[in-house]
Amino acid sequence: MRIAIVGPGAIGRLFAGVLVNGGHRPLFVCRREEQAQAFFRDGLGFVDLAGEEKRLRVEAVTGDVPADTDAVLFTVKSYDTASAAAKLPQGIPILSLQNGLGNGETLAKQLDPACLALGLTTHGATAEGDTNVHYKGAGLTVLGDWYPQNLGKNSPARIWAELLTSSGHPVTLTDDIRTEVWKKAMVNIGINPFTALYRKQNGELLDSPSLLRLMRLTVEEAERIAAGEGVVLTNSFARVLEVCRQTAANTSSMLQDVLAGRRTEIESLCGVIETFGRNQGTETPYNTAMLELVRAL
Ligand code: KPL
């Protein structure tokens, strides 16, 4: 099978390693020619959970996703979703494994929604340089179809679940991926801006009671906005604490972005909460403050 990975960041590289393990040779679709050449020359440097480093053979191109691609893993940053989606072929199973709110809506407008699956992962990985990835913590991966009634034998989520599971990466299927996307966004709202502002690893957030209070108020505010959108979530802050413990040694994706001088995904987290809040006629002081502070970084 010809599998393209659009977005060769930490998660794209982690799943490329999974697919190589399953006997596939994934194709990275890069924005920079320099990075595509580096993948060709050096392969993918993969440090596994035991700390062992392997060099894996992958292919890489720039530009459009080749027309003969059988499946796409879409792992671009949320602010690149619309422009990267324009480079995808139509009619093949696409799995979006992205952070934040609104990616599914953007993709469903540009592609055939029946071909679209969304996924979430709490596996921790750090990108190093242009071609390396360090797999730092095992987590869970959940997939579901954009059309929830899908989940038939040939639904995009099932095709991707089979591909990943047969490559040694078990996944769970859900018929309500949108709620899962919101749940994961709550975790990211409760962790990512705080790690970025305070330069802390996920587990270090647990050491400061005053910071924990601010994290809780921000997440509870976002949970109320979710309810206003018809998504009823409970115990989001308990999940934040659990993920801080499970991924204690992780550098969050937002802190990785800040340290590398890249744009962050704060707009698709606190920014979306602020926008929904405005539409609901509700102020969102905590999320607005985090949005502005991270923007100021
Ligand atoms: O998804 C993550 C991220 O860093 O973006 C968490 C779950 C917080 C793990 O670091």
Side-chain angles (χ1 to χ4, degrees):
M1 242 181 134
R2 233 171 124 66
I3 304 167
I5 299 181
V6 181
I11 294 299
R13 294 180 210 179
L14 175 67
F15 280 84
V18 168
L19 291 166
V20 171
N21 193 34
H24 301 281
R25 173 130 35 115
L27 171 78
F28 279 122
V29 180
C30 308
R31 253 202 327 215
R32 287 178 299 116
E33 185 58 46
E34 201 190 349
Q35 186 178 29
Q37 279 174 15
F39 276 125
F40 252 111
R41 193 183 53 238
D42 307 332
L44 169 68
F46 191 100
V47 181
D48 67 18
L49 284 175
E52 259 173 58
E53 185 169 355
K54 291 177 224 149
R55 290 255 137 222
L56 308 176
R57 286 188 69 192
V58 291
E59 292 177 43
V61 291
T62 52
D64 287 353
V65 175
D68 61 351
T69 301
D70 297 308
V72 169
L73 179 61
F74 194 76
T75 51
V76 301
K77 294 287 188 188
S78 48
Y79 46 80
D80 282 331
T81 299
S83 59
K87 297 181 176 165
L88 299 180
Q90 296 283 344
I92 60 169
I94 314 271
L95 171 62
S96 147
L97 266 188
Q98 299 174 274
N99 268 344
L101 298 162
N103 296 305
E105 286 76 1
T106 304
L107 288 168
K109 269 189 218 139
Q110 288 179 247
L111 305 165
D112 177 358
C115 293
L116 179 60
L118 304 186
L120 304 164
T121 187
T122 55
H123 288 266
T126 307
E128 288 161 4
D130 262 354
T131 58
N132 296 343
V133 64
H134 192 154
Y135 182 18
K136 290 203 165 154
L140 295 173
T141 301
V142 183
L143 310 185
D145 288 310
W146 180 252
Y147 280 156
Q149 68 276 26
N150 242 0
L151 279 186
K153 192 163 165 281
N154 288 322
S155 88
R158 279 218 193 270
I159 292 171
W160 267 102
E162 169 56 28
L163 258 174
L164 295 175
T165 305
S166 64
S167 301
H169 183 96
V171 303
T172 311
L173 282 167
T174 173
D175 59 7
D176 186 7
I177 193 68
R178 272 179 247 206
T179 300
E180 296 301 321
V181 167
W182 272 94
K183 277 191 197 161
K184 173 82 190 314
M186 293 296 136
V187 168
N188 290 125
I189 286 169
I191 297 179
N192 294 20
F194 300 92
T195 55
L197 285 165
Y198 291 88
R199 307 274 200 240
K200 284 181 188 285
Q201 299 205 301
N202 297 355
E204 289 173 332
L205 296 175
L206 297 167
D207 299 337
S208 161
S210 54
L211 201 50
L212 284 173
R213 180 163 176 270
L214 190 54
M215 288 159 60
R216 180 175 56 75
L217 290 166
T218 310
V219 170
E220 286 174 357
E221 181 182 86
E223 214 177 47
R224 286 193 293 278
I225 297 299
E229 295 302 309
V231 182
V232 180
L233 303 172
T234 50
N235 299 327
S236 295
F237 187 61
R239 253 190 313 276
V240 167
L241 298 179
E242 196 183 307
V243 174
C244 282
R245 281 190 283 269
Q246 280 166 353
T247 63
N250 239 47
T251 305
S252 79
S253 55
M254 194 170 285
L255 179 53
Q256 289 185 47
D257 288 340
V258 169
L259 294 174
R262 286 188 297 257
R263 186 173 163 186
T264 74
E265 294 183 291
I266 195 69
E267 310 291 330
S268 70
L269 297 167
C270 302
V272 172
I273 296 298
E274 186 192 52
T275 306
F276 280 137
R278 195 178 308 122
N279 296 340
Q280 291 173 22
T282 310
E283 293 272 22
T284 53
Y286 291 103
N287 281 271
T288 300
M290 297 320 291
L291 173 64
E292 287 305 329
L293 289 170
V294 173
R295 274 181 184 158
L297 280 180

